[in-house]
Amino acid sequence: MRLRTNIFLWVSLATVVPLTLIALGATAYSEHIHRGDLDRQIAANLNSMVVEIDRRLGYEREVIAALAVSPPMQEYMPVLLAAREHRRAPDFALRTSRFTGFLEELQSVLLENGSIRVLDPQGDTLVKVRNSRRTPASFSGLNPYPYAEPELHDDFLLAELQALPEGEVSYLSLPPSLNDFGSTGLPPMQDAAVPLPGPHGMTTGYLLVNSLGTHIARILELAPRMFNGKLLIVELNPETPSRDRLILYDESRGILFNTPKDPDKKLTGAFGEQLLHADNQSPYGVFTTRNGKSRVYYTEYLPYPNKLVTWLIATRIDSQEITAPFHRIRLGIFLFAAIALVLTLVLTHLGARRIAEPITQLAENLKAYARGKRVALPDQYTPSEIRELKDSFEYMADTMERAQAERDHAEKMMLQSAKLASIGEMAAGIGHEINNPLNNILTLTKLMRRQVQGGDLANDLNSLNEEAHRASEIIKGILNFARQLPPQYTRIHVPSWVDESIALVSQEAKRRGIQIDTETDDGLIIEGDARQLQQVLVNLLLNAIQASDRGDHVVVKARQHDASHAMLCVCDEGSGVESAVMEKLFDPFFTTKPIGQGSGLGLSVSLGIVEHHGGKITAENNERGGLTVNVILPLKRSTDHNA
């Protein structure tokens, strides 16, 4: 019956179809906004990782630059000056042994760096330390002193070293004989070199430090992967064809950063060309691969200040990982639309049957009784039932009074209007019932986006802004910021923790005849990383013990400093510290101990850990003639430093 078809079409067009289109449009708009937000978040995540890498490389350059002008290097300078004049210094062996010992101890801190070399002005190796072990000087050459490696026969490398700027850390590609990776493959990074300045602006030698890339590998390993993205790092180096487009790191192919690189594994193919084309257009951005399967976010980074070498860092994310929630929403919309159409069809069938059957029966009755005056009805009624009613009424109008005919017609029209109004209410109810679940779906989607923006993922991104790892194998508390892990916060019962820390140095104190006393508040509890803070306390105790004489007392005090901070004090009865030394007490590599007995990084380690916890550390001479070191720490986790 056409009446049922017309009702179904009009109800669908008036309710189900518009609501479905509105829901799909709102979903598309939400997806567009959501994708824009994700683009910004993922780009920020990528930039945070680049900042972390840059900070680590900057720290490495600072350490190397400080080593080049450190007191042990200055003490070794007479050997280099003599080598410049092609003669052997009188105390060559002694100075070389002492300086090599310092480098061995230093490299135990810089575990993530490769070989450390000191070259004479002719580029030959006088000192070499690798894996915290020295290489004996057992090679002879033209000069009257032994070498740690065979004599250099590379004029190009020597010319490149001589062209380096004074006092700056520069990078260059060393030959396999001077590279820790040898002939196993290309190194992931170039190596650092610093000309060693001498009197009157002359160059007395060169400091070379091989880069193994372990610290970068650590950062890449710990970097969060949004939507299971796969990281990729490619070196763009047009000046060196063998390294141009070389893949340094590819998570999808299992290529690690700190391993030798296969010169044949380079960025190629359709994806590689598209990535390079996008990079030529802009140094950072995002694009979708031509097959539409992946969303790629990329940025450029210049790792070497003196080289036109670029690292192209990208993360590749499966597009379905981003659009999956909206696919489910669309499936839900289509499912609800299908249910609504089925319900509309059922209701339309019931409504049409209730309207059409009475009209048909009435038409038959009218034909039977019609004998009166004939009345013409409008021709605009298109449903067959109405046309049938029109014919029947005209047949009956020949024998009935006009008033009765008009009254009957009015009654029929009122009945029709009431039934149509009922159908309209039904349609409105259906629309309301469909709209409610759709609004719920949109609300849930909005909540999901808010959760992504402000949840645990944001804490992980900010935690990468701090230098993060502390290795358990680090001995005597020597700092290596690159491997320092973020603090693992727990509740620390300070008196018990102090006793445990004192137990670690009790043997050293007993050997030196030092008595350690404690004054702690029994109920004092703080939030922090117990192991990292224990390293601070052990460093301070060892310094106090070493500065004290037999029979002296070292006092450890722990109390609440104010409403939000606790204070930890370590006091000794030693000879104190002069004001000139006090200013450099926390500087890296500064130590008052003899060469070979300390790296000068113990207090730097402590300072870094305390500041990472949001606290501060100070030192001052006390009334007993010794030194008091005060450590102030927040009672609660510091959100400014570890959010």
Side-chain angles (χ1 to χ4, degrees), residues 350-412:
L350 296 175
R353 187 174 63 180
R354 294 184 63 185
I355 294 174
E357 289 182 359
I359 293 177
T360 303
Q361 185 178 3
L362 178 59
E364 294 175 355
N365 291 335
L366 289 175
K367 288 180 181 180
Y369 291 100
R371 296 293 184 273
K373 185 179 179 182
R374 186 171 182 173
V375 178
L377 295 176
D379 295 329
Q380 65 267 24
Y381 297 110
T382 54
S384 60
E385 293 85 357
I386 303 299
R387 288 198 301 270
E388 189 173 333
L389 176 61
K390 171 181 172 291
D391 295 338
S392 300
F393 186 82
E394 289 179 347
Y395 177 77
M396 183 188 66
D398 293 339
T399 59
M400 296 181 66
E401 295 181 356
R402 184 180 183 86
Q404 184 65 39
E406 291 178 352
R407 197 162 47 247
D408 291 342
H409 179 68
E411 290 177 358
K412 306 300 185 293

Side-chain angles (χ1 to χ4, degrees), residues 1 3-4 7 345-362 385-386 412 415-423 425-426:
M1 294 174 60
L3 179 61
R4 182 173 60 190
I7 293 176
L345 181 60
V346 172
L347 294 175
T348 298
H349 174 74
L350 296 175
R353 187 174 63 180
R354 294 184 63 185
I355 294 174
E357 289 182 359
I359 293 177
T360 303
Q361 185 178 3
L362 178 59
E385 293 85 357
I386 303 299
K412 306 300 185 293
L415 179 61
Q416 183 182 9
S417 298
K419 293 180 179 180
L420 290 175
S422 177
I423 295 296
E425 292 178 0
M426 292 182 188

Side-chain angles (χ1 to χ4, degrees), residues 335 337 351 432 465 495 511 525 549 622:
L335 177 61
H432 178 71
N465 291 328
R511 185 179 68 84
I525 294 177
D549 296 326
N622 56 45

